[in-house]
Amino acid sequence: MHQKAKFFLQTLKFSIAGFGKYTQKQPHVHHHFIDCCPWIKMRKCHSFKCLQNKYKKLISGRNITSQRWSYMDLLNTEQENTKSLLINYTDSMERFKKKIEAFYDKYPFTLDNLEIRFGDFIYYEEDGCILRLKLGDDLNNCEVLLCLEELSLYNAFVERIRISPGEEYMAASIKTSDSEESTCVIVKLGKYPEVEDFIPNVFSFEWAQDGLLFYTCQKNLRCCDVFRTSFGNKKHTECVYTEQDPRFFVDLYCTRDRYFLTINSNSKTTSEVWLIDCHQPWNLPVLVQKRNSGIRYHIEHRSNELYILTNYGEPAEYKLMKTSVNSRNMKNWQLIYTLKRKTKLIDMVMFKDHCVMFLKYCNQLYLNSISLNDHSIQSLKDGTSVPVTVFFKRNSEDLQKNPLLIHVYGAYGIDLNMNFKAENRMLIEDGWILAYCHVRGGGELGLSWHAGGCLNNKLNGLDDLEACIKFLHNLGFSEPASTALTTYSAGGILAGALCNSNPSLIRAVSLQAPFLDLLNTMLDMQLPLTIEELEEWGDPSSDDKYMNYIKSYCPYQNLRPQTYPSIIITTYENDQRVPIRGILKYTQRLRKVIMDQRFNRDHGKKIPNIILDVQAGGSHAAALWEDSIIEVAKRLAFLYQELRLGDTGPLTNPHFKTS
């Protein structure tokens, strides 16, 4: 590895820049759908229009006001403007599309197909079908249980599969790329699979017994109700839990030993769990521990003891504790194991006699196996990583002249996505440097790392990002004129803030479904996620401290006449999480400050290209594979042109000198 890079990776270890109450039992009627596959016996159902016609219903049900017409005029203007600007990139886009497809062929990579093992069978999804294969059997003996194509769902995919304890029933959630809502399909298993029911808008679901399903429904991006429904001869549905606090989101989990279902009501910082005994599922849920602000916990079960993963107590990192099922209160929790500070908990899996923790410390991955008998710990470590991860082509002589693509996110305690993508491999072979900045607000170094970059610490993430880019430049990784920044969703806050505070650090920016109008979003309590997001950003409507603090870094609020980098923004018409209206406002205001005549006359700067690419349909940063390839090709064509590279990259461009 390049000596400077080694020094960089060794030394960049410093801190950069420094459930509610129960409701009355209510009947809940399922909406039924069409007859299905000719080879799958289907009970008589009503019209199946939930997924195919969702968009048409939304359009027809809207109240078109003068404000709506104004919004549509603005959107149409933006689309026409984008169409005219993208003409300059058409040839490059087509070449990049072919090039990316070739790299996907050369380096095939697909996400693992959904697969679960239950009893003597493996249930898995393949090519839009759910199949079942007996362990040890040849693949030719697999049995088709459900086919999406036969349900006329051509752009749908299987999101989750759950099998009832006696393998009499299967529940599967089906989702399309242009919506966040799923439909749960209930299949009666046996010699001839029988589609028994469809439940719309389902988020999570678990079987308590054969023919008895618990599930949550998602409405307006919220889950607050838990329903219990029975199948067979005595079909009945009722609501068993309702969460009253809009900050909390409800989902279901089945303990690994299948003894309890847990109703998990979580806000961004606080948890409350209720237990449903799978042996007595008709009883009311039982509370484990009443919610306490700032305390998170998750429940597993073994041998009449609850194992609790929680941040309760000091230090403020995750711990494993236990208590008797009959002594659930927090005062009875006994400490077993504590994560060391700045450790990220990735996952926890319970087995009969031990618990395995999947952990990451300073981006170093390792496992801790904890004996549940004597609480002894065995550790297995592998791999090394640091707060900034850098990829570049071997044997490059002058990295300072090579283009640099910065990746950042820094929100919700979520790790920056570093999954393999063929287009990133293509960029590296073209001579690009890829840098992933694991700034505060993300989850790479545990709970304290997230806490250090949210609420009134959000500017720490911006400081980290600026310091990372400057440090990379100082170490000889590219220069500002050859540096681009890319991010998505909430990462748009840091990217937009950087464009306002220090735009000279970067030449071009690519944003996908970016969150840019933070202040107005957090002031609008009618938006579906505002209340839930208060614990990440703060409440500007009731606290002047947060009002002023958010104002100080909100990308939309801080736009001003200056030299901005060129920016391409991809947004989606059906995005409920980052509504298109806020992005339209940001784009219009950005263009206005750029075109300020006094600024342009005084400085004589080149006007940056600002492109708003509105994708028809599509939910939050989601697209079909073919559409996704076209989007990637479009963004790459933009970046190559803005950084003045040839389509084949810096390795063949006379302006760049590498070996």
Side-chain angles (χ1 to χ4, degrees), residues 4 31 33 45 50 70 151 165 183 196 220 264 345 364 397 498 504 508 549 563 599 619:
K4 284 186 178 179
H31 298 286
F33 304 82
C45 297
C50 180
S70 174
L151 297 176
T183 294
E196 185 160 320
N220 205 20
N264 307 293
L345 174 66
Q364 178 179 350
E397 285 185 351
L498 180 68
S504 62
Y549 189 68
T563 303
F599 174 77
S619 58

Side-chain angles (χ1 to χ4, degrees), residues 177-179 571-576 615-624:
S177 61
D178 63 351
S179 173
T571 186
Y572 304 85
E573 280 189 333
N574 290 351
D575 193 336
Q576 294 176 275
Q615 297 294 308
S619 58
H620 188 60
L624 298 176

Side-chain angles (χ1 to χ4, degrees), residues 321-339:
M321 309 180 86
K322 74 173 183 178
T323 189
S324 167
V325 170
N326 298 320
S327 303
R328 299 178 297 276
N329 190 277
M330 186 184 294
K331 66 182 181 181
N332 298 311
W333 296 1
Q334 304 169 33
L335 181 64
I336 296 176
Y337 168 84
T338 301
L339 271 68

Side-chain angles (χ1 to χ4, degrees), residues 253-271:
Y253 173 77
C254 183
T255 58
R256 191 170 175 85
D257 63 0
R258 303 192 64 84
Y259 197 93
F260 287 112
L261 298 186
T262 63
I263 299 174
N264 307 293
S265 191
N266 299 300
S267 73
K268 298 293 184 187
T269 62
T270 305
S271 303

Side-chain angles (χ1 to χ4, degrees), residues 348-366:
M348 180 184 82
V349 179
M350 293 288 293
F351 295 94
K352 182 179 178 181
D353 296 316
H354 61 282
C355 169
V356 175
M357 297 274 192
F358 296 81
L359 305 167
K360 182 162 57 175
Y361 179 70
C362 291
N363 280 357
Q364 178 179 350
L365 299 173
Y366 65 101

Side-chain angles (χ1 to χ4, degrees), residues 19-20 22 241 243 263 265 271-276 284-292 297 299 306 324-330 333:
F19 255 153
Y22 296 116
Y241 177 88
E243 173 57 61
I263 299 174
S265 191
S271 303
E272 184 174 271
V273 180
W274 298 72
L275 300 179
I276 298 170
L284 291 175
V286 176
L287 177 64
V288 175
Q289 166 61 46
K290 184 178 179 180
R291 66 191 63 173
N292 285 274
Y297 70 99
I299 296 295
L306 299 180
S324 167
V325 170
N326 298 320
S327 303
R328 299 178 297 276
N329 190 277
M330 186 184 294
W333 296 1

Side-chain angles (χ1 to χ4, degrees), residues 86-227:
L86 287 177
I87 292 175
N88 300 322
Y89 303 91
T90 302
D91 293 340
S92 294
M93 284 166 51
E94 186 59 32
R95 287 192 290 269
F96 276 116
K97 182 175 180 293
K98 292 178 180 178
K99 194 172 182 179
I100 295 168
E101 289 172 343
F103 264 79
Y104 270 99
D105 290 338
K106 184 177 180 180
Y107 304 103
F109 176 82
T110 56
L111 294 175
D112 292 336
N113 287 338
L114 182 61
E115 178 180 302
I116 64 170
R117 177 176 173 177
F118 197 98
D120 295 331
F121 292 91
I122 295 176
Y123 296 80
Y124 62 100
E125 183 270 338
E126 187 174 276
D127 297 330
C129 295
I130 300 178
L131 303 99
R132 177 168 65 177
L133 179 68
K134 191 166 186 177
L135 291 172
D137 273 7
D138 187 87
L139 286 174
N140 294 327
N141 295 326
C142 67
E143 176 186 6
V144 178
L145 303 178
L146 188 68
C147 179
L148 300 188
E149 187 172 313
E150 296 291 342
L151 297 176
S152 300
L153 296 175
Y154 300 102
N155 294 324
F157 58 92
V158 180
E159 189 175 40
R160 181 183 298 183
I161 299 172
R162 292 292 184 267
I163 308 300
S164 66
E167 297 185 79
E168 294 183 13
Y169 284 89
M170 176 182 74
S173 55
I174 312 298
K175 191 175 182 182
T176 60
S177 61
D178 63 351
S179 173
E180 296 205 26
E181 296 176 351
S182 300
T183 294
C184 185
V185 182
I186 308 299
V187 179
K188 181 75 167 66
L189 301 177
K191 186 175 182 181
Y192 300 104
E194 176 185 353
V195 176
E196 185 160 320
D197 204 354
F198 293 84
I199 313 175
N201 305 328
V202 170
F203 180 80
S204 60
F205 51 94
E206 298 288 350
W207 294 101
Q209 295 180 355
D210 284 316
L212 188 62
L213 184 76
F214 286 77
Y215 65 92
T216 63
C217 279
Q218 182 171 338
K219 183 179 180 181
N220 205 20
L221 299 181
R222 286 200 65 234
C223 281
C224 57
D225 295 319
V226 178
F227 296 95

Side-chain angles (χ1 to χ4, degrees), residues 375-413:
H375 302 170
S376 60
I377 300 171
Q378 290 185 320
S379 182
L380 175 64
K381 297 185 179 184
D382 183 33
T384 302
S385 190
V386 290
V388 177
T389 307
V390 182
F391 299 90
F392 60 92
K393 191 176 180 69
R394 289 182 179 180
N395 304 320
S396 298
E397 285 185 351
D398 191 0
L399 290 172
Q400 189 169 7
K401 296 297 182 181
N402 283 34
L404 168 65
L405 184 58
I406 300 289
H407 296 73
V408 71
Y409 187 73
Y412 307 121

